[in-house]
Amino acid sequence: MKNVEHVSSSEKELVHNLPNPSSKGYSLWLAAVYITSFMAGMGVLAMPHALAGTGWFGVILVCLACANSWYSSTILGRSWLILEERWGEYRGKFRYPYPAIGMRATGRPWMRYVVSVALHVSFIGISIVYLLLSAEIAESLTNNYITLEYKYWIIILAAILCPLSWFGSIEEFWFAAIGALATATLACVAILVAVLLQVPKETLPTYGDTSFSTASLAFGAILFSFGGAFMCPTIQNDMADRRKFHKAALIGFIGILLLYLPVTVVGYAVVGHSVPPNILDAIGKGTLRTVIEACLAIHVFLAFLLAVNPVAQELEESLNVKPTFNWKRLVIRSLIVGLNLVVAYAVPHFDKILNLIGGSTFTLLAFVFPPIFYMLLVRGEPLESEAREISVLEKLFLIQVVITGVAGGISCTYFAILDIAQAIS
């Protein structure tokens, strides 16, 4: 491998004995909250419909996607620790850990930009999904009082969210992470109760009627729902003790699965193959639905800010914009929200954007790059250091993660593009 600098075993021992550079940072539990809150609200509304596209086999796919994403997060954490051991510039706070992992693993500077572009597309895609979801929720919450079309709500909410994006960095949003997790949890519990209350009103559900195209699109939604692993290097970099990240990842993904799986299984079991793209559409109007929509509205607002912020910060740094409140920041972040608005208005279907992003950049960042980068970093261990080993069983699992991601990503992206083209035409 090219461009790999060697450190002696004595230097490596010194690194291990250094005090943690991030003595002030997230605790293990707060890091787990960030992981869960970032992913918990992404796909819960679409997951029952995803199961309708795959049939009951989709439950296995959900569990597999969760396991693969968790392990990808874990090895990204290991990869960052390798970078800290070998290169001194990474031992302090570093703003773009994932692109740095890609560059050092491959030994190619251009890989940093490939990863960075994929991250930006993913963050923008997430924020578009959240904007569309918030517009759908706002229309549903207010349709008893005012008559305002869905497309106008997209504009109104973009205008409200725009000034909120001007303030602070993601480190200052700890309250947003806790709030997003609390509201997502309440929404999931309320959805579960509401769907179960629908049982006497529902006709006998039917299952099946799946195809390769529906299964591919459904798998994209599942990958999207568990595809937030790319955020993990940034979360780890802000921890007080980065070596505990694997524990935070395990706690975080257990929480995600506990939130997703009951809603997914019960939603599909009660409604069957006709479950809509948004499970809320299967729940009758009433107090419980209003509570769900209010929780999701708060969650989406907070999650939108978490998704937009990293893109804005990197653009500001590349353009040498000072990290203070100034007019350049206002212009850049307003343009980012404006881009979200244009795409959301052109394709006002959150499930279609979700499928496209889930099958493309999410898959690359969460299921393809992490195993490849980790294996390259371990293979490139300096001769003087204590070599790490990847067992045959672990290597087979890593290869499975890549193959599953590539297969699901290609098929989902293809059908998602066709689906969007049909919606636009």
Side-chain angles (χ1 to χ4, degrees):
M1 183 174 9
K2 298 179 182 179
N3 297 334
V4 174
E5 300 170 19
H6 294 267
V7 295
S8 66
S9 53
S10 60
E11 289 174 324
K12 185 175 180 181
E13 184 178 354
L14 175 62
V15 172
H16 280 298
N17 292 329
L18 285 173
N20 195 297
S22 298
S23 57
K24 293 182 179 180
Y26 305 152
S27 66
L28 184 156
W29 287 100
L30 185 56
V33 167
Y34 261 98
I35 293 169
T36 308
S37 63
F38 186 72
M39 283 187 270
M42 282 186 182
V44 68
L45 298 179
M47 288 284 275
H49 181 70
L51 208 60
T54 60
W56 286 112
F57 175 69
V59 176
I60 297 175
L61 292 179
V62 170
C63 295
L64 179 65
C66 184
N68 286 354
S69 186
W70 160 70
Y71 204 72
S72 290
S73 301
T74 301
I75 58 177
L76 279 174
R78 294 180 194 168
S79 297
W80 182 252
L81 293 178
I82 292 174
L83 262 66
E84 284 191 336
E85 290 174 1
R86 296 187 199 170
W87 295 281
E89 63 264 35
Y90 302 124
R91 292 170 196 164
K93 185 170 175 56
F94 193 77
R95 206 163 184 180
Y96 316 117
Y98 202 159
I101 290 172
M103 182 184 71
R104 292 299 186 179
T106 61
R108 300 291 188 271
W110 53 262
M111 182 54 74
R112 173 188 172 184
Y113 300 103
V114 171
V115 176
S116 187
V117 169
L119 282 170
H120 283 198
V121 172
S122 297
F123 280 123
I124 292 294
I126 294 168
S127 54
I128 291 169
V129 169
Y130 283 143
L131 179 58
L132 291 170
L133 270 174
S134 61
E136 198 170 293
I137 293 167
E139 183 188 29
S140 178
L141 276 171
T142 60
N143 61 6
N144 288 333
Y145 310 101
I146 59 173
T147 302
L148 197 62
E149 291 184 35
Y150 172 57
K151 60 182 180 180
Y152 295 120
W153 275 113
I154 297 174
I155 299 172
I156 292 169
L157 289 170
I160 295 172
L161 287 163
C162 185
L164 294 176
S165 70
W166 296 342
F167 300 96
S169 61
I170 198 166
E171 294 101 312
E172 300 168 7
F173 287 162
W174 60 268
F175 62 91
I178 294 174
L181 178 58
T183 50
T185 302
L186 286 172
C188 287
V189 172
I191 289 171
L192 190 62
V193 172
V195 171
L196 287 172
L197 290 175
Q198 295 289 110
V199 173
K201 305 174 186 177
E202 291 288 338
T203 57
L204 191 64
T206 59
Y207 308 104
D209 194 22
T210 61
S211 65
F212 182 70
S213 62
T214 62
S216 296
L217 290 171
F219 195 42
I222 293 170
L223 293 178
F224 181 96
S225 300
F226 291 101
F230 60 82
M231 188 68 172
C232 289
T234 301
I235 295 172
Q236 180 188 25
N237 205 254
D238 288 327
M239 289 182 68
D241 187 349
R242 298 168 186 170
R243 292 163 296 184
K244 293 182 179 179
F245 175 75
H246 65 286
K247 296 179 181 179
L250 180 60
I251 296 168
F253 276 91
I254 289 174
I256 294 164
L257 194 62
L258 290 175
L259 290 175
Y260 274 165
L261 205 55
V263 173
T264 303
V265 172
V266 172
Y268 181 54
V270 172
V271 185
H273 182 72
S274 60
V275 61
N278 185 343
I279 188 61
L280 283 181
D281 293 334
I283 298 172
K285 295 288 185 178
T287 303
L288 194 53
R289 176 163 173 167
T290 301
V291 170
I292 295 169
E293 290 174 333
C295 288
L296 289 173
I298 297 171
H299 173 83
V300 167
F301 261 70
L302 297 173
F304 181 92
L305 298 175
L306 293 174
V308 167
N309 197 268
V311 179
Q313 286 195 69
E314 184 164 349
L315 282 175
E316 288 160 9
E317 184 159 304
S318 64
L319 296 172
N320 296 317
V321 177
K322 293 181 180 180
T324 57
F325 190 84
N326 56 73
W327 70 268
K328 292 181 180 179
R329 172 193 283 187
L330 268 61
V331 171
I332 290 171
R333 299 193 182 195
S334 298
L335 288 173
I336 291 172
V337 176
L339 175 62
N340 279 276
L341 173 60
V342 170
V343 177
Y345 204 82
V347 189
H349 305 282
F350 84 90
D351 57 313
K352 300 185 188 305
I353 301 293
L354 183 148
N355 290 334
L356 177 62
I357 300 299
S360 54
T361 55
F362 265 52
T363 297
L364 277 177
L365 293 169
F367 303 104
V368 178
F369 285 163
I372 294 174
F373 291 166
Y374 178 62
M375 287 189 284
L376 288 174
L377 283 168
V378 172
R379 192 179 68 180
E381 287 279 8
L383 297 176
E384 299 89 346
S385 70
E386 182 182 348
R388 294 173 176 82
E389 291 185 4
I390 300 178
S391 67
V392 174
L393 187 62
E394 184 180 16
K395 189 171 291 186
L396 288 174
F397 186 81
L398 293 173
I399 292 171
Q400 173 272 136
V401 173
V402 175
I403 292 174
T404 302
V406 170
I410 290 175
S411 59
C412 175
T413 302
Y414 173 75
F415 287 110
I417 292 173
L418 290 181
D419 204 23
I420 290 174
Q422 290 175 0
I424 295 175
S425 61

